[in-house]
Structure formats: C-alpha cells, structure tokens
Amino acid sequence: MNEDEHLNPYEPIGITDDFMFFAVMSDEEICTRLLQELLPELNIKRVTTRAQSQIKGGREDKGIRLDIQAFDEQGRVYDIEMQLSKKFHPKRSRYYRTLVDMVSLLTGDDYDDMPMSFVIIFSPFDHFEIDERVIEFIEYSPKHHLALGDEMHTLYVNSKGTKGEVSPTLQKFLDLMNGQVDRKNDLIDAIAEKMNYYNHNQEWRASRLEYETTLRHERKLGINEGIDEATVKNALSVMVKFNVTAEQALDALDVPKPDQPKYLQMMKEKV
C-alpha cells in the first residue's frame, strides 16, 4: 500500500494485496497448482507451505515482508511473494536468495546437499520494461556462454506483460492480478473463493488493517527493534556458517554502510 493511500476497512481486497496473496498462497493445493502452471518442466506433484510472516531484514527498503516458502516432494525450495513497490530494487532478490540459502544451511545441510531453489516475485508492474510475462535469472557467464550451475533461480512474473508463452491458467492468474476474474477456471475459482472468505472474515480484515497500520507507522519512524534484532541474528548466523567477518556478513545481507556501525555494536553485545 502506498503511504499516501487511506485504509478502507470495507473495500474488497484483491490478490495483489500482499496480505491477501500471503493468505491465499498459504493454501497448499492452490500454491501447488500455481507453481505447476508457472514451472511445468519441474513436474511438481505436491508442495507443503510454510508461512514466513515475521519481520526480516534491515530498514524500510526491506521492511516487513510477507512471503510463502514451499517445498516439493524432491526437496526443492520456493520462496514466493507479491511485490507492490513501483520502485525496483535489484538487490532485493539477492537478499531473498541469501535468506533461502540460510534456511538450508541453518538446518544443517552440507553445501552439496543444498536444494534447487526458486525466488518467485509476482508484481503488477513491468520493472524491466521489456513487456515479458516471466523473466528468469540464473548465474551466467556471457563471455563463455556458461551457467554456474548453483541451482538458484530468480523469477519475476509481470501481470502486465504480453510477451512470452505461459499456460492458459497462468494467464488467467495474471488477469486476476489485473482485476479480471474468470470463475470458469478451476484454479481461479478456488482463489476467488478464498478471497471471498477472507474479504468477509472480520477477524482477518482486522488483522490486515493492523498490519497495514503497523507498516505505515514503522515506515514513518524508519526504525523498528524487531527488524534490528532479526538483522543481528541473521548476520551472526552468516558469520558462523561462512566464516566471515561481521562487516562481510552485513555486506552479504545488503545492510547499508551508514547503518552498519549500529549493527556492529549490537553484534558485539551479543557475543
């Protein structure tokens, strides 16, 4: 939500609202169907989901983040979220990839056992201005035409795109992001039913209103103790797992240089 917008407790909430997207994609059947349509080559049978609603990262540029982590039967990891900011931050995806890898490393996996991972960002904006529906990034050497092979993928899904082939059902989902609801499609009908439930659930709407109010308040203040604590915890974990200095850990988490002295002091107090 734009900081200048007013909260309306009665207006229907659409799928591009990050709180609604978070709620709907927590449903494992819906999440499975959407991933199957987006990544048919993976032959995904079923995913389990885990909601990641805690505050992560640094200040406003990372902020409160609602995302879904999904895991398929082959152990592949999917971090899925709706990104509403018109301002494009390329290093946000780098930050998300770091978080996905940290989940595996902190559970004790060896480097060789780290799963194939996908950071999937849905957005109603064409951040790259090339009119593509889906853009996938991998680590690649253009000089040698060689992929790194680290099995980390980042996908940006643009609902305004008109180029690139997608399945008819995925196109219906992109249409839904643009405000067009086709109840004749099974997946869209299931999503619409979930949205209708949440839109008429006063407890959920109150939670969403509280979330938006809190987010606006934190953006206004620019500082949040929960965010600071999460950054310190993540930085300490990176130091241990990768055997790097505190400064290198903060750089890996994309913490701005002017903010690092504060976090360095907090890290010293923790050890």
Side-chain angles (χ1 to χ4, degrees):
M1 171 176 292
N2 187 287
E3 206 165 313
D4 295 329
E5 294 176 357
H6 296 288
L7 299 175
N8 185 339
Y10 304 106
E11 183 180 356
I13 301 168
I15 194 64
T16 57
D17 177 272
D18 51 356
F19 206 74
M20 177 63 80
F21 183 80
F22 174 80
V24 170
M25 288 304 138
S26 296
D27 183 288
E28 292 184 352
E29 184 173 347
I30 290 176
C31 188
T32 298
R33 287 285 311 280
L34 185 60
L35 288 174
Q36 288 171 337
E37 296 295 336
L38 178 62
L39 299 164
E41 69 277 10
L42 297 184
N43 296 312
I44 300 169
K45 304 301 182 185
R46 184 78 182 180
V47 300
T48 56
T49 60
R50 182 171 64 196
Q52 304 291 321
S53 60
Q54 68 266 29
I55 296 172
K56 299 176 178 178
R59 293 194 178 187
E60 182 183 353
D61 57 337
K62 300 178 182 66
I64 297 176
R65 181 166 158 251
L66 297 172
D67 64 312
I68 295 294
Q69 281 192 354
F71 307 83
D72 70 15
E73 69 282 353
Q74 296 190 40
R76 294 172 296 212
V77 182
Y78 308 85
D79 190 90
I80 312 162
E81 77 161 48
M82 180 70 66
Q83 189 176 116
L84 300 179
S85 174
K86 291 183 180 180
K87 185 175 181 181
F88 180 55
H89 298 279
K91 291 186 178 179
R92 283 175 64 108
S93 61
R94 172 181 167 185
Y95 174 73
Y96 299 163
R97 292 195 300 270
T98 300
L99 291 175
V100 170
D101 282 343
M102 283 175 59
V103 170
S104 298
L105 291 172
L106 293 177
T107 56
D109 287 350
D110 293 328
Y111 298 110
D112 291 340
D113 296 328
M114 292 176 68
M116 180 179 291
S117 302
F118 295 81
V119 172
I120 303 170
I121 301 172
F122 288 87
S123 178
F125 304 109
D126 185 2
H127 293 294
F128 299 94
E129 299 182 349
I130 59 175
D131 201 28
E132 288 281 347
R133 292 181 174 93
V134 180
I135 305 174
E136 180 176 6
F137 294 91
I138 60 174
E139 292 288 342
Y140 181 79
S141 170
K143 179 179 179 180
H144 301 94
H145 305 288
L146 182 67
L148 181 61
D150 60 356
E151 297 192 324
M152 172 59 77
H153 305 254
T154 303
L155 282 77
Y156 283 86
V157 185
N158 162 34
S159 70
K160 298 297 193 297
T162 62
K163 297 178 181 178
E165 294 294 327
V166 298
S167 73
T169 294
L170 181 56
Q171 182 58 56
K172 293 294 184 183
F173 182 77
L174 300 182
D175 293 340
L176 178 65
M177 290 177 61
N178 295 330
Q180 304 171 37
V181 185
D182 184 356
R183 297 296 293 258
K184 296 179 181 179
N185 181 280
D186 290 344
L187 177 58
I188 303 307
D189 184 61
I191 293 173
E193 283 294 321
K194 282 285 183 180
M195 292 168 58
N196 185 61
Y197 167 78
Y198 288 119
N199 270 309
H200 289 87
N201 185 305
Q202 294 304 312
E203 182 178 354
W204 181 86
R205 290 185 69 96
S207 297
R208 187 257 186 188
L209 185 62
E210 181 181 3
Y211 157 74
E212 294 289 0
T213 303
T214 301
L215 182 59
R216 287 163 60 89
H217 178 67
E218 287 169 357
R219 284 175 175 170
K220 185 176 181 180
L221 292 178
I223 298 174
N224 178 272
E225 292 182 2
I227 294 175
D228 290 346
E229 288 295 326
T231 300
V232 170
K233 181 180 178 181
N234 289 342
L236 290 172
S237 297
V238 171
M239 287 179 63
V240 172
K241 286 293 180 181
F242 295 99
N243 191 28
V244 297
T245 66
E247 291 83 358
Q248 289 171 327
L250 292 172
D251 284 339
L253 293 174
D254 201 24
V255 175
K257 289 290 186 182
D259 294 341
Q260 290 193 12
K262 176 185 69 173
Y263 289 114
L264 289 170
Q265 182 59 41
M266 293 176 67
M267 292 168 71
K268 288 180 181 178
E269 294 172 358
K270 293 284 186 180
V271 297

